[in-house]
Amino acid sequence: MITREQLENNQVLLYVIVLVIAAGFGLIVPDFAEQLNVTISVVIAILMYSMFSQIPFTSLKKSFANRRFIWALLTVNYIAVPIVVWLLSKLLPEYPPLLLGVYLVLLTPCIDYVIVFTALGRGNGKIILMSTPILFITQMILLPLYLWLFMGVDATEIVNPIPFLEAFFGLIVIPLGLAIALQIFAKKSLIGEKIIDTSAWLPVPFMALTLFVVVSSQIGKLSTYIDLIIKVIPIYIAFMIIMPIISRFIAKWFKLDIGSGRALIFSGSTRNSLVVLPLALALPDDLSTLVAVVIVTQTIVELAGELIYIRLVPNLLLRQKK
């Protein structure tokens, strides 16, 4: 019988297989696949709960224990990343919906599978896990600010706040509140503890299911935006090349140990695509498809890049001193 650790360690391969199957399914039976649109919100809500349930929100104070790492983490994700993203965006067409998709996905640091990739890359996965509450709270606060700084009036014209807030409340706030309530309950009850332990099995299969329903339902519309998608792929690749180098220098600047330095590199380079996806899907129909496809494209590029990272980071970029 497969263990949870084996499932998590092989999740990248699972996602690649699911993406291939989803693309084939969406192209072979496009009409049926498109109907999966109605399941996206439910699947993402369960995914969000499953991910949030594993984030130690009840141990938030412990997140601040290593202040040097926290300051390095905030510097990378909220100073270095926005500068890099803004500069890279200048290479894209001045088309607000395209830029919105790129900004949504690249400005938000990952809070889920970055933990696993950090561990696979021989980094300090625990320190990233303990930092996830801070990363989640800060990105939800700062994302609107960065969208306003980078897009100004364009952002307010594109984003209708009512469905945006409905999606944020239904797909993020409610799963988050449920996860925190269960964590508190788990500290006092064996049943609550068992629910949290069972929930730990959900992120990988529901991440795969989310990728399947999103890709299969959207792939048929990809041809409409293929000229724009081709333009964002080099931007995503450039981001994945630039950020590990910058993160390495910031790790040195903050004098982090090897494990923490590797964790910083993974955090600075891995983005939060599936958490911002509900926000993209809350946009008007004529925009949501493009923005969602731009975000999912980043996920596909990133998963390929992570396979390189887990070998490159410990063996070349930040090697253990002998």
Side-chain angles (χ1 to χ4, degrees), residues 287-320:
L287 296 174
S288 64
T289 301
L290 171 59
V291 177
V293 168
V294 167
I295 290 171
V296 172
T297 300
Q298 190 275 338
T299 304
I300 296 169
V301 172
E302 182 173 86
L303 288 174
E306 295 291 343
L307 295 176
I308 299 172
Y309 278 174
I310 59 177
R311 291 166 178 79
L312 193 67
V313 171
N315 295 319
L316 181 64
L317 200 57
L318 201 56
R319 291 193 294 183
Q320 186 73 47

Side-chain angles (χ1 to χ4, degrees), residues 2 6 23 77 143 168:
I2 190 170
Q6 289 172 326
N77 283 299
L143 180 60
F168 180 73

Side-chain angles (χ1 to χ4, degrees), residues 108-110 113-114 117 266-272 302 306 309:
T108 48
C110 184
Y113 57 58
V114 66
F117 285 127
F266 276 95
S267 179
S269 309
T270 311
R271 304 291 87 193
N272 210 359
E302 182 173 86
E306 295 291 343
Y309 278 174

Side-chain angles (χ1 to χ4, degrees), residues 82-95 98-99 102-103 106 149-151 154 231 235:
I83 292 172
V84 170
V85 171
W86 184 78
L87 292 172
L88 288 174
S89 71
K90 297 303 171 186
L91 302 174
L92 290 169
E94 284 290 331
Y95 184 47
L98 176 72
L99 293 173
V102 171
Y103 290 147
L106 292 186
L149 286 173
F150 289 2
M151 299 187 70
D154 287 337
K231 290 175 182 177
I235 299 301

Side-chain angles (χ1 to χ4, degrees), residues 18 43 204-214:
V18 167
V43 172
V204 175
F206 271 90
M207 182 85 75
L209 184 58
T210 300
L211 289 172
F212 179 81
V213 296
V214 171

Side-chain angles (χ1 to χ4, degrees), residues 58-192:
T58 54
S59 303
L60 189 57
K61 287 183 180 179
K62 294 180 182 178
S63 302
F64 294 94
N66 191 333
R67 293 186 180 181
R68 185 184 298 175
F69 177 76
I70 294 301
W71 282 116
L73 195 69
L74 297 177
T75 301
V76 165
N77 283 299
Y78 301 122
I79 297 178
V81 166
I83 292 172
V84 170
V85 171
W86 184 78
L87 292 172
L88 288 174
S89 71
K90 297 303 171 186
L91 302 174
L92 290 169
E94 284 290 331
Y95 184 47
L98 176 72
L99 293 173
L100 178 62
V102 171
Y103 290 147
L104 277 173
V105 71
L106 292 186
L107 290 172
T108 48
C110 184
I111 58 169
D112 40 79
Y113 57 58
V114 66
I115 301 162
V116 175
F117 285 127
T118 299
L120 292 174
R122 287 181 271 165
N124 189 337
K126 185 177 180 181
I127 202 170
I128 281 287
L129 174 63
M130 296 305 297
S131 304
T132 47
I134 296 172
L135 282 179
F136 177 71
I137 293 167
T138 49
Q139 68 184 258
M140 288 298 108
I141 293 171
L142 293 174
L143 180 60
L145 173 63
Y146 283 122
L147 289 179
W148 177 77
L149 286 173
F150 289 2
M151 299 187 70
V153 177
D154 287 337
T156 58
E157 289 178 351
I158 293 174
V159 180
N160 183 338
I162 295 175
F164 212 66
L165 288 172
E166 286 176 352
F168 180 73
F169 185 78
L171 300 179
I172 294 179
V173 174
I174 291 178
L176 174 64
L178 179 60
I180 293 174
L182 281 172
Q183 285 184 21
I184 294 170
F185 181 54
K187 287 195 168 186
K188 304 173 182 177
S189 167
L190 188 60
I191 296 174

Side-chain angles (χ1 to χ4, degrees), residues 36-48 170-171 213 278 281:
L36 292 176
N37 258 329
V38 298
T39 68
I40 290 176
S41 294
V42 175
V43 172
I44 288 181
I46 297 172
L47 172 66
M48 292 297 102
L171 300 179
V213 296
L281 295 171

